[in-house]
Structures are given as C-alpha cells and as structure tokens.
C-alpha cells in the first residue's frame, strides 16, 4: 500500500526504494544498538534526497509535500528511525522554503542544503516549558551584526550528526515566552554539551539526546518571520503529515508481514480458512482509514498553501491536529492486530514475522508532541470555533 493520491515521479520513488532497502538491511541493528542509521542517511545523500524540497531556483527539485510523504512511507516500511530522521529534516527544510525565500542568507543556505546534502536538526524543546514548543525561556541576544544563544535543549534528535540546527528562542530578553524566533546555526557555529542520553523503548536510532546548546552566528541567520507564523503556516502541517506518513509506513510493513503469515498458513492447509484471515481484513480496513486521513490532510494543505489566512485558521490547525491524533492511535491498533495474527512468531525477534520493533517504534507516535497536549489545544480552539461537520468540508 502507498499513500499517494497522485503518482510521484518514478525516478524519485526508485531512489527512495533504494534507500529503503539499505535502511531495512540495517534496521534491526540500528534498533538493537540504539545507533544513528548512518548507512540509510548516507544513501539519502547519495540519492540526493535531502535537498528535494528546495526550489529549483536554489538547486533543489521543488518536490511537493505529497511526494515527500510518499518517501516517508517508503522509508518507514524499511526502518522507522531512518524514516523519522528524513521526516524531521524535511520539516525543517519546509520552514526554510516557506519563510526564508527572499532573504539572501537563507536562500544561499538553501542552495547549500541542496548542493551539499546537508542534514538539518531541530531544537524546539527546552527544559522548564513542559514540552510546549510555542514557548521559550531562553532569549537570543543580538549584538550589532552578531547573535548569541544558550539553550537547555532537552531533545535534539541526531544532534551530533546534524550539519545545522534550526533552534527557537524568545525574540529578545524582554520578549514574552510566546514571542519567538527561529535561527539557523551551522555546525561550526555552536557547541553541544550532552546532558541526557537517548536510551528509549523505540525510535532508538533517532538518537534524541539532550544538550546545552551554545551558539554564535551572524544575526542575518535569524529567520525573518516570527516563529508563530512558521509554526502555524509550515511546521504544523508538515510535521503532522510527514510523521503520519512514517507511522503509516510502519503499520503497512507490519500488515505485510501479517498478510504473508496468513498466506503461508493458507498454503499449508488450503482446505481451511486460516484463523487470522478475518483479522487481516479488519487490519486492512483500519490501514485504509489511516491512508485516507493522510490523503485528506494533503488535499487540505494543497488547497491552503500560499494563503496565509487559510494556513493560520483555527479550522486548519484542528484538522492537522486531528490527523496526528488519529494516525498515532490507529497504527497501534493495526500493529496489535498484526501481532495477534502472527502469534508467537510475531512476538519473537529474528523471524520473518517479527513485530516487536514495529510495536515499540509505534508507541512513540502518541508522545511526539503529547496527544494530551494536542487534544488540550484543540479543545480550546473548538470552544471558540464551530467545526464544520458537513461531509464535503
């Protein structure tokens, strides 16, 4: 199964499939050792996937979010961690593309991302804010043409491997916690002092360690638009769509293993319906529902793209939040069904039907920006905004 509503260019998907094959080859080792999926990311660079979203004017391919989502799903079938690294990188690229165009330094940096296949990291979380990325304690200091920042970043996924980090802070020392900016710091412009080590249940290869970040760079590297606009108009949709596409890929691979298990059972006993056959049908229906939700969100984003009012509307935020909630919950149900279908061979490691890694990785979905926090934000918006419940809305 794929998520595509329109066919992605064949050459692009061929490149993605080659990366996915390499990612799958090393996925169990990446998970067991909790190490960065270096082979998969090297393949992404070799296939020049890291710069595909960059506009052609800056040396990229101008690939749409639909095509990027399709790649996330393809990679997710092979290695959850590699797919999530790719998705998080592309979320940061979307902020550059959407909010750095027209700014000389940022356009030149986009050319570097495409030309040098730079890997972008994110530092939006901070100690003391309870996981609310729309608030910051730290503030960037601008001194003439130079800016400086120190941040207690509790999570920077693949921080040691990133070539640059896009980091949030208050706009100045007297700014309110929600008055934020995002700044690009290149690897030679900051230091990372590790404070927490990522030893987690799943998504172990994302290496989401905690650090004290200290950076100094030219002030022109601060993105020209407030982070509130960046979050609402590019980051929200790209994060929830691309994360959901990764999670869909994990569930789709689990389903493929369960389907293969039932087919093998049917070949052994062709006179009887395999006991897991009904659950396969049910899992297929649930998987189709996740796919439909992602395609609906992609369609809604394509309609709103370029219209700041639509992108900033509460109805749009509610729709993207609902996608994240639904996909993160439903993939667990799907993979649990697949585990019941495959039985002990799904529960054990090292079999063609092993699903332990899929299940552990899928549990991260409800925690990547906590579903409880998202539901709380959504409930607040729904107190103000009447949701359109018509069938074609």
């Amino acid at each position: 199964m794929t998520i595509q509503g329109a066919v992605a260019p064949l050459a692009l998907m061929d490149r993605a499939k080659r990366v996915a094959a390499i990612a799958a080859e090393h996925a169990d080792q990446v998970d067991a050792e909790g190490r960065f999926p270096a082979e998969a990311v090297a393949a992404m660079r070799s296939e020049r996937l890291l710069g595909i979203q960059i506009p052609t004017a800056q040396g990229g391919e101008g690939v749409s979010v639909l095509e990027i989502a399709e790649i996330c799903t393809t990679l997710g079938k092979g290695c959850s961690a590699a797919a999530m690294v790719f998705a998080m990188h592309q979320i940061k690229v979307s902020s550059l593309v959407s909010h750095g165009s027209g700014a000389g330094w940022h356009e030149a940096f986009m050319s570097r991302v495409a030309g040098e296949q730079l890997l972008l990291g994110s530092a939006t979380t901070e100690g003391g804010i309870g996981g609310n990325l729309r608030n910051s304690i730290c503030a960037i200091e601008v001194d003439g043409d130079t800016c400086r920042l120190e941040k207690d970043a509790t999570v920077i996924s693949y921080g040691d491997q990133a070539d640059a980090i896009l980091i949030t802070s208050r706009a100045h020392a007297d700014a309110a916690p929600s008055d934020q900016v995002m700044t690009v710091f290149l690897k030679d412009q900051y230091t990372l002092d590790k404070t927490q080590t990522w030893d987690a249940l799943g998504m172990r290869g994302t290496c989401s360690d905690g650090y004290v970040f200290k950076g100094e760079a030219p002030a022109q590297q601060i993105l020209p638009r407030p982070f509130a606009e960046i979050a609402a108009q590019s980051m929200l949709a790209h994060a929830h769509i691309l994360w959901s596409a990764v999670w869909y890929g994990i569930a789709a691979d689990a389903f493929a293993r369960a389907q293969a298990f039932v087919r093998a059972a049917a070949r052994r006993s062709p006179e009887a319906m395999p006991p897991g056959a009904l659950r396969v049908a049910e899992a297929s229906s649930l998987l189709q529902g996740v796919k439909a939700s992602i395609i609906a969100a992609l369609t809604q984003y394509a309609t709103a793209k370029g219209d700041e009012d639509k992108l900033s509307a509460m109805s749009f935020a509610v729709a993207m939040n609902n996608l994240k909630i639904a996909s993160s919950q439903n993939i667990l149900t799907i993979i649990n069904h697949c585990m019941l279908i495959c039985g002990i061979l799904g529960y054990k490691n090292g079999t063609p039907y092993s699903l332990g890694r899929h299940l552990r990785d899928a549990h991260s979905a409800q925690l990547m920006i906590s579903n409880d926090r998202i539901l709380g934000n959504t409930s607040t918006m729904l107190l103000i905004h009447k949701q359109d419940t018509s069938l074609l809305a």
Side-chain angles (χ1 to χ4, degrees):
M1 286 190 178
T2 63
I3 64 165
Q4 59 199 36
V7 178
L10 182 61
L12 179 61
M13 291 315 303
D14 284 345
R15 290 152 61 191
K17 289 174 182 177
R18 287 194 291 268
V19 175
I22 292 171
E25 181 183 348
H26 298 278
D28 287 338
Q29 185 185 55
V30 164
D31 174 64
E33 298 177 5
R35 68 168 178 83
F36 183 68
E39 297 87 356
V41 174
M44 292 175 202
R45 287 192 165 105
S46 177
E47 296 289 351
R48 304 197 66 76
L49 293 183
L50 296 183
I52 55 174
Q53 189 181 172
I54 301 293
T56 55
Q58 277 76 50
E61 299 178 43
V63 164
S64 70
V65 66
L66 183 151
E67 294 161 320
I68 294 169
E70 184 72 12
I71 293 172
C72 287
T73 291
T74 299
L75 296 176
K77 294 173 184 177
C79 173
S80 312
M84 188 55 69
V85 169
F86 178 78
M88 289 190 284
H89 163 83
Q90 293 296 343
I91 293 162
K92 293 299 101 182
V93 175
S94 77
S95 296
L96 278 174
V97 171
S98 299
H99 303 282
S101 296
W105 187 90
H106 294 95
E107 288 193 342
F109 180 61
M110 282 188 261
S111 296
R112 284 194 61 191
V113 171
E116 301 173 34
Q117 293 293 292
L118 302 181
L119 180 65
L120 307 186
S122 171
T124 56
T125 58
E126 185 175 4
I129 61 172
N132 184 0
L133 62 84
R134 285 293 293 108
N135 281 319
S136 290
I137 296 172
C138 66
I140 198 154
E141 173 193 348
V142 178
D143 180 11
D145 295 331
T146 302
C147 65
R148 300 181 185 87
L149 179 63
E150 180 173 340
K151 179 171 183 171
D152 177 14
T154 50
V155 174
I156 304 180
S157 296
Y158 54 93
D160 289 337
Q161 293 81 18
D163 298 305
I165 291 174
L166 279 68
I167 188 167
T168 53
S169 66
R170 287 186 295 138
H172 51 83
D174 297 323
S178 61
D179 181 6
Q180 298 167 287
V181 292
M182 176 174 273
T183 307
V184 181
F185 283 89
L186 307 179
K187 197 173 188 70
D188 62 356
Q189 296 173 334
Y190 60 81
T191 60
L192 295 174
D193 182 15
K194 189 174 293 186
T195 56
Q196 299 178 39
T197 299
W198 181 250
D199 184 6
L201 179 70
M203 286 292 178
R204 293 170 54 76
T206 62
C207 300
S208 301
D209 300 321
Y211 303 88
V212 172
F213 173 100
K214 294 180 181 179
E216 180 175 318
Q220 62 183 336
Q221 294 177 207
I222 302 171
L223 279 158
R225 304 292 289 275
F227 181 65
E229 294 182 20
I230 296 171
Q233 296 172 17
S234 65
M235 188 171 166
L236 174 74
H238 280 81
H240 290 178
I241 289 171
L242 298 186
W243 287 348
S244 294
V246 171
W247 301 329
Y248 174 77
I250 299 169
D253 188 64
F255 175 80
R257 295 181 184 216
Q259 190 177 33
F261 179 87
V262 171
R263 284 175 171 167
R267 287 193 295 270
R268 289 193 300 271
S269 303
E271 72 286 349
M273 175 75 75
L278 292 180
R279 286 193 180 273
V280 166
E282 189 175 5
S284 175
S285 176
L286 292 168
L287 193 64
Q288 184 67 28
V290 175
K291 174 181 175 179
S293 297
I294 297 172
I295 291 173
L298 284 162
T299 301
Q300 187 166 359
Y301 177 70
T303 301
K305 189 177 180 181
D307 187 327
E308 292 187 5
D309 290 337
K310 287 183 178 179
L311 290 171
S312 299
M314 284 187 290
S315 59
F316 182 78
V318 167
M320 294 301 120
N321 285 350
N322 286 342
L323 169 66
K324 194 273 181 181
I325 295 294
S327 58
S328 65
Q329 291 175 343
N330 288 335
I331 63 161
L332 283 170
T333 303
I334 294 165
I335 298 171
N336 273 322
H337 273 58
C338 295
M339 183 74 77
L340 291 172
I341 292 165
C342 296
I344 196 67
L345 291 180
Y347 189 71
K348 289 174 62 178
N349 294 324
T351 83
Y353 311 109
S354 296
L355 293 169
R357 174 167 55 83
H358 299 69
L359 189 60
R360 287 185 290 100
D361 288 344
H363 271 286
S364 71
Q366 297 185 80
L367 307 176
M368 290 182 63
I369 306 181
S370 165
N371 279 8
D372 287 350
R373 178 177 295 280
I374 292 175
L375 286 169
N377 292 340
T378 302
S379 65
T380 300
M381 288 187 283
L382 289 174
L383 288 174
I384 303 169
H385 174 77
K386 184 178 179 180
Q387 183 166 341
D388 189 341
T389 55
S390 63
L391 185 61
L392 300 179

